[in-house]
Amino acid sequence: MASFVNISSSPLLLPRTRHLSPPRFSFSGPQFKNCWVRGVGMLRLKCSSEPRPDNELEAETSASSSSSSSSSISAYSWCAGLGGLGFLETAYLTYLKLTNSDAFCPIGGGSCGDILNSDYAVVFGVPLPLIGMVAYGLVATLGLKLAGKSLPFGISESSGRLILLCSTTSMAVSSAYFLYILSTKFAGVSCSYCLMSALLSFSLFFITVKDFGLQEIPRAVGLQLCIACFVVATLSTSYSSTSQSVSTSLAEIDLQPFTTEITTQSNPLAVSLARHLQSIGAKMYGAFWCSHCLEQKQMFGREAAKLLDYVECFPEGYRKGIKIAKACADAKIEGFPTWVINGQVLSGELELSELAQVSGFKAEEFSQLN
């Protein structure tokens, strides 16, 4: 008897199947490069229009590597530029020092020349601007070579960076020391060249420190401290020996007071300015041997200079045991010439127009002095 299935009975239950993600297909062949197909019922095709050449991939790789080192190149370029600027400044000062020429000082009258010609402008007999010129030249050269990845003598980039850091560290420490000398030994005197050199040195130092980063700089801190101690010890030794030789030479000096004739003639405006300065109680402090004091009087001329309230700080001459005049000591005079106008202390030679402006000379007459 044949068997059969009753269709009226319960339908056959098939096991429930889990929904599966559409399979992913890949194709081979150059025409299907970078393509994939997803789905069963509906195909989704995503292709690149053309195969990417190998040189394009190499260009992206080199671009990424160059972008990672762009900060280093930028730091090296800054070092080269600032070092070159410092080299030009110190070369100019070296020329003035070697030729005994007067320095043009945009701020502070004749104070730049006084500082340049002082005993503190020499370290163990070598002019300080010459040392600075060598230091700035080294930094500028290293910056250019590191930026171009072409260091000489087989020096590696890491060694070049370390040399650059040591150089800028020594320059920053030296500048800090000189600023201390300027504030203590030349109080009230302004030197634009000194301040500019200090600004360049500190900028170079911070640029190189930032280029090293927080991870690398702790390894070089010990070396930086050794360099800083060496620089301070060298400068202190040089200036202590200089002070001893200066005091010995001053002990042998015996200058008798003398008067130097003023050869220039005064114009009416110079005479009026001198009378105005006298009326407001302005004083000019100087010394009989001071060449800058003589040049200041020459600006006024013979007649006008006689009207100035001039205070001689060494009326009894200059030799061992002679002290500065009490009036000059009370005014805390440390250089010549020094003007005290309306309570304001001005050091160095001043143009007549500057004196007119500070003293409140009449505006119409002041315009004619320029």
Side-chain angles (χ1 to χ4, degrees):
M1 187 173 179
S3 62
F4 63 95
V5 179
N6 186 0
I7 59 175
S8 63
S9 63
S10 300
L12 180 65
L13 297 177
L14 297 177
R16 297 179 63 185
T17 60
R18 187 176 54 183
H19 178 70
L20 299 177
S21 300
R24 188 166 178 163
F25 301 89
S26 61
F27 296 87
S28 60
Q31 67 276 22
F32 297 106
K33 188 175 182 180
N34 299 323
C35 300
W36 53 270
V37 178
R38 191 170 185 179
V40 177
M42 181 180 295
L43 297 181
R44 296 173 59 190
L45 186 62
K46 183 177 181 180
C47 302
S48 59
S49 58
E50 293 181 359
R52 300 178 65 186
D54 295 337
N55 57 359
E56 190 176 318
L57 297 175
E58 294 177 358
E60 288 188 1
T61 304
S62 62
S64 61
S65 61
S66 63
S67 62
S68 62
S69 61
S70 60
S71 58
S72 298
I73 295 177
S74 176
Y76 300 150
S77 300
W78 273 107
C79 288
L82 295 178
L85 185 60
F87 179 83
L88 293 177
E89 180 202 13
T90 50
Y92 169 67
L93 295 178
T94 300
Y95 168 77
L96 296 179
K97 183 68 176 176
L98 296 178
T99 58
N100 294 322
S101 303
D102 291 333
F104 168 74
C105 192
I107 301 176
S111 352
C112 296
D114 295 338
I115 295 175
L116 185 62
N117 296 323
S118 69
D119 299 314
Y120 293 97
V122 178
V123 178
F124 289 115
V126 181
L128 184 59
L130 180 60
I131 299 176
M133 186 176 68
V134 173
Y136 280 116
L138 175 62
V139 169
T141 303
L142 282 174
L144 288 174
K145 293 297 183 180
L146 285 169
K149 309 291 184 181
S150 59
L151 289 168
F153 311 115
I155 301 176
S156 62
E157 183 178 358
S158 58
S159 299
R161 294 173 68 227
L162 185 61
I163 295 174
L164 185 62
L165 178 65
C166 294
S167 301
T168 55
T169 299
S170 63
M171 293 167 64
V173 173
S174 301
S175 295
Y177 190 93
F178 295 138
L179 288 178
Y180 166 76
I181 293 294
L182 185 65
S183 61
T184 55
K185 304 298 183 181
F186 300 92
V189 175
S190 176
C191 177
S192 51
Y193 298 107
C194 305
L195 299 178
M196 179 179 178
S197 181
L199 177 61
L200 291 174
S201 298
F202 291 141
S203 299
L204 288 169
F205 172 72
F206 288 121
I207 288 173
T208 51
V209 168
K210 183 180 179 182
D211 179 60
F212 262 71
L214 296 178
Q215 296 181 349
E216 294 183 79
I217 200 63
R219 304 175 186 174
V221 168
L223 181 59
Q224 288 179 289
L225 290 177
C226 291
I227 292 174
C229 294
F230 174 77
V231 169
V232 173
T234 301
L235 294 175
S236 300
T237 304
S238 173
Y239 291 150
S240 63
S241 61
T242 300
S243 300
Q244 294 176 358
S245 62
V246 169
S247 60
T248 303
S249 61
L250 289 178
E252 301 172 353
I253 294 178
D254 186 2
L255 292 177
Q256 297 299 323
F258 58 86
T259 303
T260 305
E261 182 183 1
I262 301 175
T263 58
T264 58
Q265 298 218 346
S266 304
N267 57 45
L269 289 176
V271 174
S272 299
L273 176 60
R275 287 175 179 167
H276 172 73
L277 292 172
Q278 184 186 49
S279 65
I280 64 173
K283 295 181 182 299
M284 173 185 170
Y285 295 84
F288 62 90
W289 74 83
C290 172
S291 61
H292 296 290
C293 300
L294 177 60
E295 292 174 3
Q296 182 73 87
K297 293 178 182 178
Q298 295 277 22
M299 290 184 188
F300 280 91
R302 187 184 305 111
E303 297 79 6
K306 294 178 180 179
L307 299 174
L308 296 175
D309 191 355
Y310 173 76
V311 180
E312 173 60 53
C313 291
F314 291 92
E316 299 179 5
Y318 189 86
R319 57 187 176 275
K320 184 179 180 181
I322 294 294
K323 295 183 179 180
I324 193 171
K326 186 178 183 303
C328 300
D330 293 341
K332 299 181 180 180
I333 302 302
E334 297 184 357
F336 309 112
T338 297
W339 286 90
V340 178
I341 304 174
N342 295 330
Q344 186 176 358
V345 179
L346 305 169
S347 301
E349 302 171 47
L350 298 177
E351 297 293 333
L352 299 186
S353 58
E354 295 179 81
L355 291 170
Q357 184 177 15
V358 172
S359 63
F361 198 47
K362 291 183 179 180
E364 59 271 14
E365 294 179 342
F366 167 67
S367 62
Q368 299 179 44
L369 286 174
N370 288 328

